[in-house]
Amino acid sequence: MAGVVAVALASVLIYRHRVRRELVRTRAQLTETRDAYEHLSRENAQREQRMRQAEHQARKAAEEARELRAQQDLTRVETEHLLSTRIPALVSHLRASHVTVPGLQNPALAGTDVDRQHHALLDAISSAVREEAVRIDEAAQAVVRGAMARVQTQALRAQDLLAAVQRRYSGDEHTQLLREVLGLDMFNELIVRRAQATGIACGATTGLSRDDTYLVDLVVGAIARVENFDQRIEGPANHLRRRVGVAARAAEPILFVTSELLANAVHHSHGTLKVTIAVHETNTGAAIVIDDAGVGLNEEQYARASRLLSGRHAVRLVDLGSPPHTGWAAIGRQVAQYGMQVTVKKSAYGGVQAVVSVPAALLVEMPEGTRPSVLAPEPVRAVVAAAPPYQRRAPEPETAPALTGAPAGPAAGPAGAEGLPGLPQRRRQSPRRAPSSAAAGPLTTPEEAQKRWGDFQTGAEAGRREAMPSHQDDATEGN
């Protein structure tokens, strides 16, 4: 019994040991399984996280791709707008400043790289076009200067030939021929003035030189350069009280400026009132005042006139219109070169009043014993009570009528009359030679020579008036 119990106990112990050993092994396997499961769970979690990140990145990349495509579409559309609209508008703006250049088609692009790059491109195009336009315009002006110089030279030669014909056939038996020659002479004078204005507007000189000349004579000469001047211009009214002359260097420029302003006034006057012109002394020199009763100017035209007449702004040929109106531009060139001043404003007649201010630096006092030409009007008679205390000259003998009906008056007084600033005086360099006593025939007195020349000029003017057409329209006249 004891043996059986012992064997049974031993068997139970052995079985228990085996059970424990299996239990330990099972627990170990369970631990390993749990650890493997936890490891696998962690890997699955990491894999899911990576998948979520990959999905987020894919969605982000797709969104960026859509935004990039949209940005490319906006850039393409904006570039097409730049090429089709903005650049052509810029080119038109450079030709005509009133044309506006549109901005971005899509305001959302303002301040972006596309906006900055497009602005840089427009600035580069603008700069290149302006530089090329200046180069081309300078070349064109050089061509025009050369052409007008040749035209003016030939016209001046023709003028000399016509003057010689006038002197040769001045007798009464050649009246008809003289009238035709005077008509040709007037047309030639207009050619000279037009070639002169075009050349000066392109940077040329006046092409003519003169000696010191009475200012009133220059005004009379300017009047004679205008078509139908006898019918359209009244004056000049001479308010000069001294022997006011213009220095040689500025004589032709002042004559040119005055003739262009007169031609412009006549061209824009279509009423019955004539264009008037007067010459005055001022505290700073002298002034030539021209009034017309024409169509006048609007604010934009006054601004353009002031800009061109100031001479402070460069003028291109393309800015002068088609056909080009070179008058104001040419005057501005002379104003800038000689220090004159030309202003325009509304006249009392509703037209335009132009004032040429000639500084004292361009004026001289003409030598004693000299007088203006017989065509120059006498100074307007001043009130006797206001006359200066200096001695007046004896009245001159009656001469042929001048171009205007200005009342006769005393000759110009000495320098410094009534407190006006003195003029630079020009003296004759060498005395005149006395006439030889052995000269054949009686000497002609100054009065006789003056009357003869006045008669000839009166007949010449009458012939020129008959030879000129009554109505003409030159498209190149005007502003």
Side-chain angles (χ1 to χ4, degrees), residues 118-143:
H118 285 192
H119 269 294
L121 179 60
L122 291 174
D123 291 341
I125 293 175
S126 177
S127 177
V129 170
R130 283 195 175 96
E131 291 176 0
E132 187 65 13
V134 170
R135 187 188 68 82
I136 294 175
D137 200 79
E138 289 177 351
Q141 290 192 27
V143 173

Side-chain angles (χ1 to χ4, degrees), residues 314-349:
V315 179
R316 298 185 302 169
L317 289 177
V318 295
D319 299 330
L320 302 180
S322 178
H325 299 282
T326 57
W328 285 350
I331 293 173
R333 292 263 193 179
Q334 299 299 287
V335 166
Q337 184 173 358
Y338 292 95
M340 297 178 284
Q341 183 179 6
V342 178
T343 57
V344 290
K345 65 178 182 179
K346 187 175 181 179
S347 72
Y349 305 105

Side-chain angles (χ1 to χ4, degrees), residues 9-344:
L9 185 61
S11 298
V12 171
L13 291 174
I14 293 171
Y15 179 75
R16 181 182 179 187
H17 178 72
R18 287 179 180 176
V19 170
R20 286 182 176 178
R21 190 173 56 187
E22 288 295 332
L23 182 59
V24 170
R25 188 169 58 247
T26 301
R27 287 178 177 175
Q29 292 176 351
L30 182 59
T31 300
E32 291 177 359
T33 302
R34 187 171 57 251
D35 293 341
Y37 176 76
E38 292 177 355
H39 178 70
L40 183 59
S41 297
R42 287 194 299 269
E43 288 183 350
N44 289 336
Q46 293 174 356
R47 188 178 297 109
E48 290 177 359
Q49 184 178 4
R50 286 194 297 269
M51 290 179 64
R52 287 193 298 270
Q53 292 177 351
E55 291 176 356
H56 175 71
Q57 291 176 354
R59 287 193 300 269
K60 185 177 179 181
E63 184 67 24
E64 291 177 351
R66 285 193 298 270
E67 292 178 357
L68 182 58
R69 284 194 297 270
Q71 187 72 20
Q72 289 176 345
D73 291 340
L74 289 176
T75 303
R76 178 179 54 78
V77 173
E78 194 64 42
T79 303
E80 291 175 354
H81 175 65
L82 173 70
L83 297 175
S84 63
T85 304
R86 299 182 72 186
I87 291 179
L90 174 63
V91 176
S92 299
H93 174 76
L94 295 175
R95 287 197 294 259
S97 58
H98 66 275
V99 178
T100 59
V101 181
L104 293 171
Q105 186 178 19
N106 189 346
L109 294 174
T112 62
D113 291 339
V114 174
D115 185 19
R116 288 189 290 270
Q117 291 170 0
H118 285 192
H119 269 294
L121 179 60
L122 291 174
D123 291 341
I125 293 175
S126 177
S127 177
V129 170
R130 283 195 175 96
E131 291 176 0
E132 187 65 13
V134 170
R135 187 188 68 82
I136 294 175
D137 200 79
E138 289 177 351
Q141 290 192 27
V143 173
V144 173
R145 282 197 303 270
M148 291 301 102
R150 289 190 291 270
V151 171
Q152 187 175 358
T153 299
Q154 298 301 325
L156 290 174
R157 290 180 179 176
Q159 195 175 60
D160 292 339
L161 295 175
L162 292 171
V165 173
Q166 292 177 42
R167 290 191 297 269
R168 189 178 305 116
Y169 298 99
S170 58
D172 295 338
E173 67 276 13
H174 303 293
T175 302
Q176 185 61 34
L177 174 61
L178 185 59
R179 288 177 179 175
E180 295 179 1
V181 172
L182 290 173
L184 293 175
D185 182 56
M186 186 61 192
F187 277 116
N188 189 75
E189 184 70 36
L190 297 177
I191 292 173
V192 171
R193 183 171 63 82
R194 181 50 50 213
Q196 192 179 41
T198 304
I200 292 174
C202 295
T205 62
T206 56
L208 292 171
S209 60
R210 298 178 181 272
D211 296 329
D212 297 347
T213 309
Y214 276 95
L215 177 58
V216 66
D217 278 341
L218 293 179
V219 173
V220 172
I223 293 174
R225 288 186 175 185
V226 181
E227 294 180 80
N228 300 323
F229 62 87
D230 58 314
Q231 303 173 15
R232 304 300 308 280
I233 299 178
E234 179 181 344
N238 182 6
H239 297 276
L240 303 177
R241 289 164 291 172
R242 296 180 290 178
R243 299 185 303 275
V244 179
V246 178
R249 70 181 186 278
E252 180 63 24
I254 290 177
L255 191 154
F256 165 77
V257 168
T258 306
S259 65
E260 282 299 310
L261 291 173
L262 283 170
N264 187 68
V266 169
H267 179 76
H268 288 93
S269 298
H270 304 289
T272 58
L273 291 177
K274 292 186 176 182
V275 174
T276 63
I277 180 170
V279 189
H280 302 267
E281 289 185 73
T282 66
N283 289 331
T284 58
I288 303 170
V289 183
I290 301 170
D291 282 281
D292 68 68
V295 296
L297 302 175
N298 55 37
E299 293 184 2
E300 182 180 353
Q301 290 171 329
Y302 272 118
R304 180 176 183 272
S306 300
R307 181 176 62 86
L308 292 176
L309 295 175
S310 68
R312 295 190 295 268
H313 306 278
V315 179
R316 298 185 302 169
L317 289 177
V318 295
D319 299 330
L320 302 180
S322 178
H325 299 282
T326 57
W328 285 350
I331 293 173
R333 292 263 193 179
Q334 299 299 287
V335 166
Q337 184 173 358
Y338 292 95
M340 297 178 284
Q341 183 179 6
V342 178
T343 57
V344 290

